[in-house]
Every structure is written in structure tokens, then in C-alpha cells.
Amino acid sequence: MTAFIIFATLILGIFITSMFLDSKKAMEVFITNRFAKPGTKGYIMGADEGGREILFQLIIGARNSLTIAFSVTVLTTLAGLFIGTISGYYGGWVDAVVMRIVDFISILPRLLLIIAFLQVVPNYSMLAFIFIMSVFSWVGNARLYRGKALAESSMEYIKAAKTLGESDLRIMTRELLPNMSSIIIVNTTLSLAGNIGLETGLSYLGFGLPSSTPSLGTLIGYATNSDIIKNKVWVWLPASLLVLVLMLCVNYIGEALKRSSDAKQRLG
């Protein structure tokens, strides 16, 4: 519960506060205020190398990072759920064909492909970034949901629904998916933490959002030399701590949901 309260408070605070901030103004360069310390007039959390307020970049960057992570999580969950459910429900040659395609995609180096596509697309936007990340990140979800759908499809209630003449679409949406809800919720929650980390990592490496668009990864990426790491910690430490807190909260929430959905584990 504590993790959920902290996470919800952070999310609401970040998105509501960012509505009152101007991204372009926050990224304006004031070179005379380069690396202004926290508490300096006009700088609550200090300034980066370009004299830009770290607090504004932190709020806008967190909003961008969370928007990307939420979007990728939703898209990959929907894609994995659709493909996995179809494959597991029908089985047979449908399952064989779909899973061979999934096997082929899963052996590809996902991170390298994302980086390669980001390099190919000129001046990509946040939407393009989300799309490229999602294209190579749904495979694990498809495998997971396919296994659950395969197991559920052999249950008596599915056979009974087929015997009564219900359509496949109705069986999948009214019978199968509700019985997969626990694994969907848990996996979606845990995937969110992974996508926050993936976006942050790509931005840190310089393959995320453009430098003119702040994110948590770009803020951490400002720690480019020993002087900034040791003597100007206000530049990169707040973003690092925020990423840590967000990922811990999401993981705790996911684990709590997992325990509550598993009756045996809950009783244990």
C-alpha cells in the first residue's frame, strides 16, 4: 500500500505540475548561469551546463519518460495479449506458425535493433520512439499469454462453451480473458518498471529522445565526467533517485499483485 501511495503521489504530482511548465522555456540556455548551485537565485535545484533549471527538466523529463513507459507497456500488452490468446486458444497449426514467428523475433538482439532503427529514422518524435520500442518488445508478453491461454483452453468451461455453440470471439472475450486477468495485471505492472528502465537506458546512451526534449535518461546522461559526478551531483542525482524510487514502487506493487493473485502463495 505504501508503494502504491508513493507511486500515485509521484505520478499525480509530475503530470499535474508539468501542465503548468513550458518545455521550450525550460530548455532555454543561460550560459552565464552554468552549473548554478541549488538555492542560487532563480534556481531551486541548481542548473545544468546550459544554465537550465534542473527542477523543471526533472518534472518534464519524468513526464516524458513515464508517458513513453506507459505507452509502450499498453501497446506491447495489447499486441502480446492478442497474438498470445489467438495462438493459445486455437492451438494446432495456428499455434505452430505463430510461435515460430515469435521464436524468430525473440532471438533478434532487441536493444541493438531499437538503436539501429532510431539511427535510421531522421528527427524521430516521441511517437516514433514509442512505436520503435513497442515493435520489438511484445514477444515476451505473447509467450506468457499464449501459455496461459493454452492451459485455459483445455479446461472444462471452455469445452462447455464450445459445446453450447458460442462463437470463438465470445468465448475468448467472455470466458478466456477474464480468467487470464490476474496474470495480465501482474505482468503489465512489472513490464512498466522494465520499460521505465529501458527508456532511461536508451536516453542515457544517447539513443532516446532528442537533447532538446528532457527525460530522466538525458538528465542522468549529463554525468559525463568525473567533475560533474563528484562535484555537481545536483545535475544527475535527482533523476537517478527518481528512477530508483519509481522502479522500486512499481516492482513492489507488481509483487503485491502477484501474491494476491496466487492463492497458494498468499496462504503461505
Side-chain angles (χ1 to χ4, degrees):
M1 181 58 76
T2 303
F4 176 77
I5 293 173
I6 294 173
F7 184 71
T9 303
L10 285 172
I11 295 296
L12 289 174
I14 289 166
F15 278 90
I16 292 175
T17 309
S18 65
M19 293 171 63
F20 300 97
L21 296 177
D22 186 339
S23 299
K24 292 183 178 178
K25 191 173 182 180
M27 295 306 291
E28 287 180 354
V29 175
F30 298 96
I31 199 66
T32 55
N33 298 324
R34 184 170 178 261
F35 292 124
K37 293 183 178 179
T40 303
K41 187 177 180 180
Y43 292 93
I44 299 172
M45 294 182 66
D48 64 1
E49 190 173 13
R52 295 165 294 206
E53 168 65 74
I54 292 296
L55 177 61
F56 297 158
Q57 293 186 69
L58 184 67
I59 295 171
I60 297 171
R63 180 200 63 188
N64 292 338
S65 294
L66 287 169
T67 299
I68 292 170
F70 278 122
S71 301
V72 173
T73 301
V74 170
L75 290 175
T76 55
T77 296
L78 291 176
L81 188 60
F82 176 76
I83 295 171
T85 302
I86 294 289
S87 179
Y89 176 77
Y90 286 105
W93 68 269
V94 175
D95 183 43
V97 171
V98 172
M99 292 315 297
R100 294 299 78 76
I101 297 173
V102 169
D103 288 341
F104 172 74
I105 298 175
S106 64
I107 62 174
L108 299 175
R110 181 179 64 148
L111 188 58
L112 291 178
L113 282 173
I114 292 174
I115 292 174
F117 273 82
L118 290 173
Q119 295 302 299
V120 170
V121 179
N123 301 321
Y124 57 83
S125 62
M126 186 185 294
L127 286 177
F129 186 48
I130 291 170
F131 177 75
I132 292 171
M133 282 183 65
S134 301
V135 165
F136 299 102
S137 303
W138 58 269
V139 180
N141 291 334
R143 281 182 175 279
L144 181 67
Y145 298 138
R146 175 257 182 189
K148 182 65 175 175
L150 198 62
E152 291 292 329
S153 296
S154 63
M155 304 292 283
E156 292 299 325
Y157 73 94
I158 295 293
K159 294 178 180 177
K162 290 180 178 177
T163 303
L164 291 172
E166 293 187 19
S167 67
D168 291 338
L169 180 61
R170 183 179 175 84
I171 293 173
M172 284 189 277
T173 55
R174 300 291 295 273
E175 305 290 345
L176 186 57
L177 287 180
N179 286 284
M180 295 170 61
S181 58
S182 60
I183 195 171
I184 295 170
I185 293 171
V186 171
N187 184 61
T188 301
T189 307
L190 295 175
S191 295
L192 177 61
N195 289 327
I196 293 173
L198 179 59
E199 187 282 329
T200 304
L202 286 169
S203 297
Y204 174 77
L205 294 171
F207 299 108
L209 295 174
S211 57
S212 58
T213 306
S215 77
L216 295 177
T218 55
L219 281 170
I220 299 172
Y222 288 157
T224 53
N225 58 60
S226 59
D227 179 51
I228 295 176
I229 293 173
K230 292 180 181 178
N231 304 319
K232 300 176 178 63
V233 295
W234 64 85
V235 175
W236 57 271
L237 187 60
S240 303
L241 292 176
L242 184 56
V243 170
L244 179 64
V245 171
L246 287 172
M247 292 185 70
L248 283 176
C249 286
V250 174
N251 273 311
Y252 277 125
I253 293 170
E255 289 298 326
L257 291 172
K258 186 178 181 181
R259 284 196 297 272
S260 65
S261 67
D262 189 336
K264 291 182 180 179
Q265 189 171 351
R266 185 173 68 247
L267 291 174

